[in-house]
Amino acid sequence: EGLAGMLRALGAKAEASGDDLVIEGVQRLKGAKVSCASDHRLAMTAMIAGLVAEGETAVDDSSCVRASYPEFTQDLGKLGGL
């Protein structure tokens, strides 16, 4: 449900159903303030999705990515993402 909620915040039509994630096509993701609930996986996903979103995307508590990938923001920046 966390991933579906994050995608909905960015304008996607997404629903969690048991172990499945159903995503309907979307014209373009829209920048938004996204809550990652201190989940490093959601934070990294939101930061990458924000790169293709129209407008600015802000991820709360993005520092939680250090739990699994301490160099994530630096590496994303090297790729031109930040």
Short mmCIF file of all heavy atoms in Angstrom, two decimals:
data_model
loop_
_atom_site.label_atom_id
_atom_site.label_comp_id
_atom_site.label_asym_id
_atom_site.label_seq_id
_atom_site.Cartn_x
_atom_site.Cartn_y
_atom_site.Cartn_z
N GLU A 1 0.83 -1.20 0.00
CA GLU A 1 0.00 0.00 0.00
C GLU A 1 0.86 1.25 0.00
O GLU A 1 0.48 2.27 -0.57
CB GLU A 1 -0.94 -0.01 1.21
CG GLU A 1 -1.90 1.15 1.25
CD GLU A 1 -2.78 1.32 0.01
OE1 GLU A 1 -3.31 0.32 -0.50
OE2 GLU A 1 -2.91 2.46 -0.48
N GLY A 2 2.02 1.19 0.61
CA GLY A 2 2.90 2.36 0.66
C GLY A 2 3.32 2.82 -0.73
O GLY A 2 3.31 4.01 -1.03
N LEU A 3 3.68 1.88 -1.58
CA LEU A 3 4.09 2.22 -2.95
C LEU A 3 2.91 2.76 -3.74
O LEU A 3 3.04 3.76 -4.46
CB LEU A 3 4.69 1.00 -3.65
CG LEU A 3 5.23 1.21 -5.05
CD1 LEU A 3 6.25 2.33 -5.11
CD2 LEU A 3 5.83 -0.09 -5.58
N ALA A 4 1.75 2.15 -3.60
CA ALA A 4 0.56 2.63 -4.31
C ALA A 4 0.23 4.06 -3.86
O ALA A 4 -0.08 4.93 -4.68
CB ALA A 4 -0.62 1.70 -4.06
N GLY A 5 0.30 4.33 -2.56
CA GLY A 5 0.04 5.67 -2.05
C GLY A 5 1.02 6.70 -2.57
O GLY A 5 0.64 7.82 -2.91
N MET A 6 2.29 6.32 -2.64
CA MET A 6 3.30 7.24 -3.15
C MET A 6 3.04 7.56 -4.61
O MET A 6 3.11 8.70 -5.04
CB MET A 6 4.70 6.63 -2.96
CG MET A 6 5.84 7.54 -3.35
SD MET A 6 6.41 7.38 -5.07
CE MET A 6 6.93 5.71 -5.13
N LEU A 7 2.69 6.54 -5.40
CA LEU A 7 2.40 6.76 -6.82
C LEU A 7 1.14 7.61 -7.00
O LEU A 7 1.11 8.49 -7.87
CB LEU A 7 2.25 5.42 -7.53
CG LEU A 7 3.54 4.63 -7.71
CD1 LEU A 7 3.25 3.22 -8.21
CD2 LEU A 7 4.48 5.35 -8.67
N ARG A 8 0.14 7.40 -6.17
CA ARG A 8 -1.07 8.23 -6.24
C ARG A 8 -0.75 9.68 -5.93
O ARG A 8 -1.28 10.60 -6.55
CB ARG A 8 -2.16 7.70 -5.30
CG ARG A 8 -2.86 6.46 -5.81
CD ARG A 8 -4.13 6.15 -5.03
NE ARG A 8 -3.88 5.93 -3.61
CZ ARG A 8 -3.61 4.75 -3.06
NH1 ARG A 8 -3.55 3.66 -3.82
NH2 ARG A 8 -3.40 4.63 -1.76
N ALA A 9 0.14 9.92 -4.96
CA ALA A 9 0.53 11.28 -4.62
C ALA A 9 1.16 11.98 -5.82
O ALA A 9 1.06 13.21 -5.97
CB ALA A 9 1.50 11.28 -3.44
N LEU A 10 1.79 11.21 -6.69
CA LEU A 10 2.43 11.76 -7.89
C LEU A 10 1.49 11.77 -9.10
O LEU A 10 1.91 12.08 -10.21
CB LEU A 10 3.70 10.98 -8.22
CG LEU A 10 4.82 11.11 -7.18
CD1 LEU A 10 5.94 10.12 -7.48
CD2 LEU A 10 5.37 12.53 -7.14
N GLY A 11 0.23 11.43 -8.89
CA GLY A 11 -0.75 11.53 -9.95
C GLY A 11 -1.07 10.25 -10.70
O GLY A 11 -1.87 10.26 -11.63
N ALA A 12 -0.47 9.14 -10.31
CA ALA A 12 -0.74 7.87 -10.98
C ALA A 12 -2.01 7.24 -10.41
O ALA A 12 -2.39 7.50 -9.27
CB ALA A 12 0.43 6.90 -10.79
N LYS A 13 -2.64 6.42 -11.21
CA LYS A 13 -3.77 5.63 -10.73
C LYS A 13 -3.20 4.28 -10.33
O LYS A 13 -2.84 3.47 -11.18
CB LYS A 13 -4.81 5.47 -11.83
CG LYS A 13 -5.49 6.76 -12.19
CD LYS A 13 -6.52 6.55 -13.28
CE LYS A 13 -7.17 7.87 -13.65
NZ LYS A 13 -8.11 7.71 -14.75
N ALA A 14 -3.08 4.07 -9.02
CA ALA A 14 -2.45 2.85 -8.51
C ALA A 14 -3.23 2.33 -7.32
O ALA A 14 -3.68 3.10 -6.48
CB ALA A 14 -1.01 3.15 -8.09
N GLU A 15 -3.38 1.02 -7.27
CA GLU A 15 -4.08 0.36 -6.18
C GLU A 15 -3.32 -0.89 -5.76
O GLU A 15 -2.82 -1.62 -6.61
CB GLU A 15 -5.50 -0.04 -6.60
CG GLU A 15 -6.43 1.12 -6.88
CD GLU A 15 -6.74 1.97 -5.66
OE1 GLU A 15 -6.82 1.40 -4.54
OE2 GLU A 15 -6.88 3.19 -5.82
N ALA A 16 -3.27 -1.12 -4.48
CA ALA A 16 -2.69 -2.36 -3.97
C ALA A 16 -3.84 -3.33 -3.75
O ALA A 16 -4.90 -2.97 -3.24
CB ALA A 16 -1.97 -2.10 -2.65
N SER A 17 -3.63 -4.57 -4.18
CA SER A 17 -4.63 -5.62 -4.01
C SER A 17 -3.90 -6.88 -3.58
O SER A 17 -3.31 -7.58 -4.41
CB SER A 17 -5.38 -5.84 -5.33
OG SER A 17 -6.29 -6.90 -5.22
N GLY A 18 -3.89 -7.13 -2.29
CA GLY A 18 -3.12 -8.26 -1.79
C GLY A 18 -1.64 -8.03 -2.05
O GLY A 18 -1.09 -7.01 -1.68
N ASP A 19 -1.02 -8.98 -2.73
CA ASP A 19 0.40 -8.84 -3.08
C ASP A 19 0.60 -8.15 -4.42
O ASP A 19 1.74 -8.02 -4.88
CB ASP A 19 1.06 -10.22 -3.14
CG ASP A 19 1.24 -10.83 -1.76
OD1 ASP A 19 1.24 -10.08 -0.76
OD2 ASP A 19 1.38 -12.06 -1.67
N ASP A 20 -0.48 -7.74 -5.06
CA ASP A 20 -0.40 -7.14 -6.39
C ASP A 20 -0.45 -5.62 -6.33
O ASP A 20 -1.08 -5.04 -5.44
CB ASP A 20 -1.55 -7.62 -7.28
CG ASP A 20 -1.51 -9.12 -7.53
OD1 ASP A 20 -0.39 -9.68 -7.57
OD2 ASP A 20 -2.57 -9.71 -7.68
N LEU A 21 0.20 -4.99 -7.28
CA LEU A 21 0.13 -3.55 -7.46
C LEU A 21 -0.40 -3.32 -8.86
O LEU A 21 0.22 -3.75 -9.84
CB LEU A 21 1.52 -2.91 -7.31
CG LEU A 21 1.61 -1.41 -7.55
CD1 LEU A 21 0.79 -0.64 -6.52
CD2 LEU A 21 3.06 -0.96 -7.50
N VAL A 22 -1.54 -2.68 -8.96
CA VAL A 22 -2.17 -2.42 -10.26
C VAL A 22 -2.00 -0.94 -10.57
O VAL A 22 -2.44 -0.08 -9.81
CB VAL A 22 -3.67 -2.79 -10.23
CG1 VAL A 22 -4.31 -2.51 -11.57
CG2 VAL A 22 -3.86 -4.25 -9.84
N ILE A 23 -1.34 -0.65 -11.70
CA ILE A 23 -1.09 0.72 -12.11
C ILE A 23 -1.72 0.92 -13.48
O ILE A 23 -1.41 0.19 -14.42
CB ILE A 23 0.42 1.03 -12.20
CG1 ILE A 23 1.10 0.72 -10.86
CG2 ILE A 23 0.65 2.47 -12.61
CD1 ILE A 23 2.61 0.77 -10.92
N GLU A 24 -2.62 1.91 -13.57
CA GLU A 24 -3.19 2.26 -14.86
C GLU A 24 -2.30 3.31 -15.49
O GLU A 24 -1.62 4.06 -14.79
CB GLU A 24 -4.60 2.83 -14.68
CG GLU A 24 -5.60 1.79 -14.21
CD GLU A 24 -6.99 2.37 -14.12
OE1 GLU A 24 -7.35 3.24 -14.93
OE2 GLU A 24 -7.72 1.94 -13.21
N GLY A 25 -2.33 3.40 -16.81
CA GLY A 25 -1.51 4.38 -17.50
C GLY A 25 -1.78 5.79 -17.02
O GLY A 25 -2.87 6.12 -16.57
N VAL A 26 -0.79 6.62 -17.07
CA VAL A 26 -0.91 8.02 -16.66
C VAL A 26 -0.17 8.86 -17.69
O VAL A 26 0.85 8.44 -18.25
CB VAL A 26 -0.35 8.24 -15.23
CG1 VAL A 26 1.14 7.97 -15.17
CG2 VAL A 26 -0.65 9.63 -14.73
N GLN A 27 -0.71 10.03 -17.98
CA GLN A 27 -0.07 10.90 -18.97
C GLN A 27 1.36 11.25 -18.52
O GLN A 27 2.29 11.06 -19.23
CB GLN A 27 -0.88 12.19 -19.15
CG GLN A 27 -2.22 11.97 -19.78
CD GLN A 27 -2.11 11.63 -21.26
OE1 GLN A 27 -1.04 11.48 -21.83
NE2 GLN A 27 -3.24 11.48 -21.89
N ARG A 28 1.47 11.81 -17.33
CA ARG A 28 2.77 12.17 -16.79
C ARG A 28 2.64 12.33 -15.29
O ARG A 28 1.66 12.86 -14.80
CB ARG A 28 3.24 13.49 -17.41
CG ARG A 28 4.56 13.96 -16.87
CD ARG A 28 5.47 14.40 -17.93
NE ARG A 28 6.79 14.60 -17.39
CZ ARG A 28 7.70 15.35 -17.95
NH1 ARG A 28 7.43 15.95 -19.07
NH2 ARG A 28 8.87 15.47 -17.41
N LEU A 29 3.62 11.87 -14.56
CA LEU A 29 3.61 12.06 -13.12
C LEU A 29 3.73 13.54 -12.81
O LEU A 29 4.38 14.28 -13.56
CB LEU A 29 4.76 11.29 -12.47
CG LEU A 29 4.71 9.77 -12.57
CD1 LEU A 29 5.97 9.17 -11.95
CD2 LEU A 29 3.47 9.20 -11.92
N LYS A 30 3.13 13.97 -11.73
CA LYS A 30 3.17 15.37 -11.32
C LYS A 30 3.93 15.47 -10.01
O LYS A 30 3.72 14.67 -9.10
CB LYS A 30 1.76 15.89 -11.14
CG LYS A 30 0.89 15.69 -12.38
CD LYS A 30 0.04 16.89 -12.65
CE LYS A 30 -0.86 16.74 -13.83
NZ LYS A 30 -0.26 16.52 -15.09
N GLY A 31 4.80 16.46 -9.93
CA GLY A 31 5.56 16.68 -8.71
C GLY A 31 4.64 16.90 -7.53
O GLY A 31 3.55 17.47 -7.67
N ALA A 32 5.05 16.46 -6.36
CA ALA A 32 4.23 16.59 -5.16
C ALA A 32 5.11 16.39 -3.94
O ALA A 32 6.25 15.95 -4.04
CB ALA A 32 3.13 15.53 -5.16
N LYS A 33 4.56 16.72 -2.78
CA LYS A 33 5.22 16.38 -1.52
C LYS A 33 4.85 14.93 -1.23
O LYS A 33 3.67 14.58 -1.20
CB LYS A 33 4.76 17.29 -0.40
CG LYS A 33 5.47 16.97 0.90
CD LYS A 33 5.15 17.98 1.97
CE LYS A 33 5.66 17.46 3.28
NZ LYS A 33 6.73 18.12 3.85
N VAL A 34 5.84 14.09 -1.05
CA VAL A 34 5.62 12.66 -0.90
C VAL A 34 6.11 12.21 0.48
O VAL A 34 7.22 12.55 0.89
CB VAL A 34 6.37 11.88 -2.01
CG1 VAL A 34 6.22 10.39 -1.82
CG2 VAL A 34 5.89 12.30 -3.38
N SER A 35 5.29 11.44 1.16
CA SER A 35 5.69 10.85 2.43
C SER A 35 6.23 9.45 2.18
O SER A 35 5.58 8.64 1.53
CB SER A 35 4.49 10.78 3.38
OG SER A 35 4.86 10.08 4.54
N CYS A 36 7.41 9.19 2.68
CA CYS A 36 7.99 7.85 2.52
C CYS A 36 7.87 7.05 3.80
O CYS A 36 8.35 5.92 3.86
CB CYS A 36 9.43 7.95 2.05
SG CYS A 36 10.53 8.71 3.25
N ALA A 37 7.27 7.63 4.84
CA ALA A 37 7.08 6.93 6.12
C ALA A 37 8.38 6.33 6.64
O ALA A 37 8.39 5.22 7.18
CB ALA A 37 5.99 5.87 5.99
N SER A 38 9.48 7.03 6.42
CA SER A 38 10.82 6.58 6.85
C SER A 38 11.23 5.24 6.25
O SER A 38 12.06 4.53 6.81
CB SER A 38 10.91 6.53 8.38
OG SER A 38 10.72 7.82 8.91
N ASP A 39 10.65 4.88 5.10
CA ASP A 39 11.00 3.65 4.40
C ASP A 39 12.00 4.00 3.30
O ASP A 39 11.66 4.70 2.34
CB ASP A 39 9.74 3.02 3.80
CG ASP A 39 10.00 1.68 3.14
OD1 ASP A 39 11.06 1.53 2.47
OD2 ASP A 39 9.15 0.78 3.26
N HIS A 40 13.22 3.51 3.45
CA HIS A 40 14.29 3.85 2.52
C HIS A 40 13.95 3.43 1.09
O HIS A 40 14.32 4.11 0.13
CB HIS A 40 15.62 3.24 2.97
CG HIS A 40 15.58 1.76 3.15
ND1 HIS A 40 16.18 0.89 2.28
CD2 HIS A 40 14.99 0.99 4.10
CE1 HIS A 40 15.98 -0.35 2.70
NE2 HIS A 40 15.25 -0.32 3.79
N ARG A 41 13.23 2.34 0.92
CA ARG A 41 12.87 1.88 -0.42
C ARG A 41 11.90 2.83 -1.09
O ARG A 41 12.05 3.18 -2.27
CB ARG A 41 12.28 0.47 -0.35
CG ARG A 41 13.25 -0.55 0.23
CD ARG A 41 12.56 -1.79 0.70
NE ARG A 41 11.57 -1.44 1.74
CZ ARG A 41 10.73 -2.29 2.27
NH1 ARG A 41 10.71 -3.55 1.89
NH2 ARG A 41 9.89 -1.91 3.21
N LEU A 42 10.90 3.29 -0.33
CA LEU A 42 9.94 4.25 -0.88
C LEU A 42 10.61 5.59 -1.17
O LEU A 42 10.32 6.24 -2.17
CB LEU A 42 8.77 4.47 0.09
CG LEU A 42 7.76 3.35 0.18
CD1 LEU A 42 6.69 3.69 1.22
CD2 LEU A 42 7.11 3.07 -1.16
N ALA A 43 11.51 6.00 -0.30
CA ALA A 43 12.21 7.27 -0.51
C ALA A 43 13.02 7.25 -1.81
O ALA A 43 12.95 8.19 -2.60
CB ALA A 43 13.12 7.58 0.68
N MET A 44 13.77 6.18 -2.03
CA MET A 44 14.57 6.09 -3.27
C MET A 44 13.67 6.03 -4.49
O MET A 44 13.94 6.68 -5.51
CB MET A 44 15.52 4.88 -3.21
CG MET A 44 16.65 5.07 -2.24
SD MET A 44 17.87 3.72 -2.27
CE MET A 44 17.03 2.50 -1.28
N THR A 45 12.59 5.28 -4.41
CA THR A 45 11.65 5.18 -5.52
C THR A 45 11.04 6.54 -5.83
O THR A 45 10.95 6.95 -6.99
CB THR A 45 10.54 4.16 -5.21
OG1 THR A 45 11.15 2.90 -4.94
CG2 THR A 45 9.57 4.02 -6.36
N ALA A 46 10.64 7.27 -4.80
CA ALA A 46 10.03 8.58 -4.98
C ALA A 46 11.03 9.57 -5.57
O ALA A 46 10.67 10.39 -6.44
CB ALA A 46 9.49 9.11 -3.66
N MET A 47 12.27 9.51 -5.14
CA MET A 47 13.29 10.43 -5.67
C MET A 47 13.54 10.17 -7.15
O MET A 47 13.68 11.09 -7.94
CB MET A 47 14.58 10.31 -4.85
CG MET A 47 14.40 10.83 -3.44
SD MET A 47 15.77 10.41 -2.34
CE MET A 47 17.01 11.57 -2.88
N ILE A 48 13.56 8.92 -7.54
CA ILE A 48 13.75 8.59 -8.96
C ILE A 48 12.51 8.95 -9.76
O ILE A 48 12.62 9.55 -10.84
CB ILE A 48 14.12 7.10 -9.13
CG1 ILE A 48 15.51 6.85 -8.53
CG2 ILE A 48 14.08 6.69 -10.60
CD1 ILE A 48 15.89 5.40 -8.40
N ALA A 49 11.32 8.65 -9.25
CA ALA A 49 10.09 9.01 -9.95
C ALA A 49 9.98 10.52 -10.10
O ALA A 49 9.50 11.02 -11.13
CB ALA A 49 8.87 8.46 -9.20
N GLY A 50 10.46 11.25 -9.11
CA GLY A 50 10.43 12.70 -9.16
C GLY A 50 11.26 13.28 -10.30
O GLY A 50 11.00 14.38 -10.77
N LEU A 51 12.24 12.52 -10.76
CA LEU A 51 13.08 13.00 -11.87
C LEU A 51 12.29 13.14 -13.17
O LEU A 51 12.61 13.97 -14.01
CB LEU A 51 14.26 12.05 -12.10
CG LEU A 51 15.26 11.91 -10.96
CD1 LEU A 51 16.32 10.89 -11.31
CD2 LEU A 51 15.89 13.26 -10.63
N VAL A 52 11.28 12.31 -13.34
CA VAL A 52 10.49 12.36 -14.57
C VAL A 52 9.15 13.06 -14.37
O VAL A 52 8.40 13.24 -15.31
CB VAL A 52 10.26 10.95 -15.17
CG1 VAL A 52 11.58 10.31 -15.55
CG2 VAL A 52 9.49 10.06 -14.21
N ALA A 53 8.86 13.44 -13.12
CA ALA A 53 7.60 14.12 -12.83
C ALA A 53 7.65 15.56 -13.31
O ALA A 53 8.71 16.19 -13.33
CB ALA A 53 7.31 14.07 -11.34
N GLU A 54 6.50 16.06 -13.67
CA GLU A 54 6.36 17.46 -14.07
C GLU A 54 6.27 18.30 -12.80
O GLU A 54 5.39 18.08 -11.97
CB GLU A 54 5.08 17.60 -14.89
CG GLU A 54 4.84 18.95 -15.48
CD GLU A 54 3.59 18.92 -16.32
OE1 GLU A 54 3.66 18.42 -17.45
OE2 GLU A 54 2.55 19.38 -15.82
N GLY A 55 7.17 19.23 -12.63
CA GLY A 55 7.19 20.04 -11.42
C GLY A 55 8.11 19.46 -10.37
O GLY A 55 8.82 18.48 -10.60
N GLU A 56 8.10 20.06 -9.21
CA GLU A 56 9.02 19.68 -8.14
C GLU A 56 8.43 18.58 -7.26
O GLU A 56 7.26 18.61 -6.91
CB GLU A 56 9.32 20.91 -7.27
CG GLU A 56 10.35 20.65 -6.20
CD GLU A 56 10.70 21.91 -5.42
OE1 GLU A 56 10.67 23.00 -5.99
OE2 GLU A 56 11.01 21.77 -4.22
N THR A 57 9.29 17.65 -6.89
CA THR A 57 8.90 16.59 -5.96
C THR A 57 9.75 16.73 -4.71
O THR A 57 10.98 16.86 -4.80
CB THR A 57 9.13 15.20 -6.59
OG1 THR A 57 8.31 15.08 -7.74
CG2 THR A 57 8.80 14.09 -5.62
N ALA A 58 9.10 16.72 -3.56
CA ALA A 58 9.80 16.79 -2.28
C ALA A 58 9.49 15.52 -1.51
O ALA A 58 8.33 15.14 -1.36
CB ALA A 58 9.34 18.01 -1.49
N VAL A 59 10.53 14.85 -1.04
CA VAL A 59 10.37 13.60 -0.30
C VAL A 59 10.71 13.86 1.16
O VAL A 59 11.84 14.28 1.46
CB VAL A 59 11.29 12.49 -0.87
CG1 VAL A 59 11.11 11.20 -0.11
CG2 VAL A 59 11.03 12.29 -2.36
N ASP A 60 9.75 13.65 2.04
CA ASP A 60 10.02 13.87 3.46
C ASP A 60 10.96 12.80 3.99
O ASP A 60 10.95 11.67 3.53
CB ASP A 60 8.72 13.92 4.27
CG ASP A 60 8.08 12.55 4.48
OD1 ASP A 60 8.39 11.62 3.72
OD2 ASP A 60 7.25 12.43 5.39
N ASP A 61 11.79 13.17 4.90
CA ASP A 61 12.71 12.24 5.56
C ASP A 61 13.52 11.40 4.57
O ASP A 61 13.72 10.20 4.77
CB ASP A 61 11.96 11.34 6.54
CG ASP A 61 12.90 10.60 7.49
OD1 ASP A 61 14.03 11.08 7.70
OD2 ASP A 61 12.52 9.53 7.99
N SER A 62 13.99 12.03 3.50
CA SER A 62 14.75 11.29 2.49
C SER A 62 16.09 10.79 3.04
O SER A 62 16.71 9.92 2.44
CB SER A 62 14.98 12.15 1.25
OG SER A 62 15.71 13.33 1.58
N SER A 63 16.51 11.30 4.18
CA SER A 63 17.77 10.84 4.76
C SER A 63 17.71 9.37 5.18
O SER A 63 18.74 8.74 5.40
CB SER A 63 18.15 11.70 5.97
OG SER A 63 17.19 11.56 7.00
N CYS A 64 16.50 8.80 5.23
CA CYS A 64 16.38 7.38 5.61
C CYS A 64 17.02 6.45 4.59
O CYS A 64 17.25 5.28 4.90
CB CYS A 64 14.92 7.01 5.85
SG CYS A 64 13.90 7.00 4.36
N VAL A 65 17.35 6.95 3.39
CA VAL A 65 17.99 6.08 2.38
C VAL A 65 19.35 5.59 2.86
O VAL A 65 19.84 4.57 2.39
CB VAL A 65 18.12 6.77 0.99
CG1 VAL A 65 16.77 7.16 0.46
CG2 VAL A 65 19.05 7.94 1.03
N ARG A 66 19.92 6.30 3.82
CA ARG A 66 21.23 5.88 4.36
C ARG A 66 21.18 4.49 4.98
O ARG A 66 22.22 3.84 5.12
CB ARG A 66 21.71 6.89 5.39
CG ARG A 66 22.08 8.21 4.79
CD ARG A 66 22.74 9.12 5.82
NE ARG A 66 22.42 10.49 5.49
CZ ARG A 66 21.90 11.37 6.30
NH1 ARG A 66 21.65 11.05 7.56
NH2 ARG A 66 21.64 12.60 5.91
N ALA A 67 19.98 4.03 5.32
CA ALA A 67 19.84 2.71 5.95
C ALA A 67 20.35 1.60 5.05
O ALA A 67 20.89 0.60 5.53
CB ALA A 67 18.37 2.45 6.30
N SER A 68 20.18 1.76 3.74
CA SER A 68 20.60 0.69 2.83
C SER A 68 21.57 1.15 1.75
O SER A 68 22.26 0.31 1.17
CB SER A 68 19.37 0.06 2.16
OG SER A 68 18.72 1.02 1.36
N TYR A 69 21.63 2.45 1.49
CA TYR A 69 22.45 2.94 0.38
C TYR A 69 22.95 4.34 0.74
O TYR A 69 22.44 5.34 0.26
CB TYR A 69 21.61 2.97 -0.89
CG TYR A 69 22.31 3.22 -2.21
CD1 TYR A 69 21.64 2.98 -3.40
CD2 TYR A 69 23.60 3.73 -2.29
CE1 TYR A 69 22.23 3.21 -4.62
CE2 TYR A 69 24.20 3.97 -3.50
CZ TYR A 69 23.51 3.71 -4.67
OH TYR A 69 24.10 3.96 -5.88
N PRO A 70 23.95 4.43 1.61
CA PRO A 70 24.42 5.72 2.11
C PRO A 70 24.83 6.72 1.01
O PRO A 70 24.69 7.92 1.19
CB PRO A 70 25.62 5.36 2.98
CG PRO A 70 25.40 3.94 3.36
CD PRO A 70 24.68 3.31 2.19
N GLU A 71 25.28 6.23 -0.12
CA GLU A 71 25.75 7.12 -1.19
C GLU A 71 24.67 7.41 -2.24
O GLU A 71 24.96 7.95 -3.31
CB GLU A 71 26.97 6.50 -1.90
CG GLU A 71 28.15 6.24 -0.99
CD GLU A 71 28.03 4.90 -0.27
OE1 GLU A 71 27.27 4.02 -0.72
OE2 GLU A 71 28.68 4.74 0.78
N PHE A 72 23.42 7.05 -1.97
CA PHE A 72 22.37 7.16 -2.97
C PHE A 72 22.24 8.57 -3.54
O PHE A 72 22.25 8.75 -4.75
CB PHE A 72 21.02 6.71 -2.41
CG PHE A 72 19.89 6.84 -3.39
CD1 PHE A 72 19.74 5.92 -4.41
CD2 PHE A 72 19.01 7.90 -3.32
CE1 PHE A 72 18.72 6.04 -5.34
CE2 PHE A 72 17.98 8.04 -4.24
CZ PHE A 72 17.84 7.10 -5.25
N THR A 73 22.12 9.58 -2.67
CA THR A 73 21.92 10.93 -3.20
C THR A 73 23.13 11.43 -3.98
O THR A 73 22.98 12.09 -5.00
CB THR A 73 21.55 11.93 -2.08
OG1 THR A 73 22.53 11.86 -1.05
CG2 THR A 73 20.19 11.62 -1.51
N GLN A 74 24.33 11.07 -3.54
CA GLN A 74 25.53 11.46 -4.29
C GLN A 74 25.54 10.76 -5.66
O GLN A 74 25.84 11.39 -6.68
CB GLN A 74 26.81 11.12 -3.54
CG GLN A 74 27.01 11.92 -2.27
CD GLN A 74 26.52 11.16 -1.06
OE1 GLN A 74 25.58 10.37 -1.11
NE2 GLN A 74 27.14 11.43 0.08
N ASP A 75 25.25 9.48 -5.69
CA ASP A 75 25.26 8.75 -6.95
C ASP A 75 24.16 9.25 -7.88
O ASP A 75 24.37 9.37 -9.10
CB ASP A 75 25.10 7.24 -6.71
CG ASP A 75 26.35 6.63 -6.09
OD1 ASP A 75 27.41 7.29 -6.08
OD2 ASP A 75 26.26 5.48 -5.62
N LEU A 76 23.00 9.55 -7.33
CA LEU A 76 21.92 10.10 -8.15
C LEU A 76 22.34 11.45 -8.74
O LEU A 76 22.07 11.74 -9.90
CB LEU A 76 20.64 10.23 -7.32
CG LEU A 76 19.35 10.54 -8.08
CD1 LEU A 76 19.04 9.47 -9.10
CD2 LEU A 76 18.20 10.69 -7.09
N GLY A 77 23.01 12.24 -7.94
CA GLY A 77 23.52 13.53 -8.42
C GLY A 77 24.54 13.37 -9.53
O GLY A 77 24.54 14.12 -10.50
N LYS A 78 25.41 12.36 -9.43
CA LYS A 78 26.41 12.11 -10.47
C LYS A 78 25.76 11.76 -11.80
O LYS A 78 26.31 11.99 -12.87
CB LYS A 78 27.35 10.99 -10.04
CG LYS A 78 28.31 11.37 -8.95
CD LYS A 78 29.13 10.16 -8.52
CE LYS A 78 29.95 10.46 -7.29
NZ LYS A 78 30.64 9.24 -6.81
N LEU A 79 24.56 11.18 -11.70
CA LEU A 79 23.82 10.81 -12.92
C LEU A 79 23.00 11.99 -13.45
O LEU A 79 22.27 11.83 -14.42
CB LEU A 79 22.91 9.61 -12.64
CG LEU A 79 23.63 8.32 -12.27
CD1 LEU A 79 22.63 7.28 -11.81
CD2 LEU A 79 24.43 7.81 -13.45
N GLY A 80 23.11 13.12 -12.78
CA GLY A 80 22.37 14.31 -13.22
C GLY A 80 21.00 14.44 -12.59
O GLY A 80 20.20 15.26 -13.02
N GLY A 81 20.74 13.64 -11.57
CA GLY A 81 19.40 13.63 -10.99
C GLY A 81 19.13 14.67 -9.94
O GLY A 81 18.00 14.99 -9.67
N LEU A 82 20.14 15.23 -9.32
CA LEU A 82 19.91 16.22 -8.26
C LEU A 82 20.69 17.47 -8.54
O LEU A 82 21.68 17.50 -9.15
CB LEU A 82 20.30 15.65 -6.90
CG LEU A 82 19.51 14.44 -6.43
CD1 LEU A 82 20.08 13.90 -5.14
CD2 LEU A 82 18.06 14.79 -6.21
#
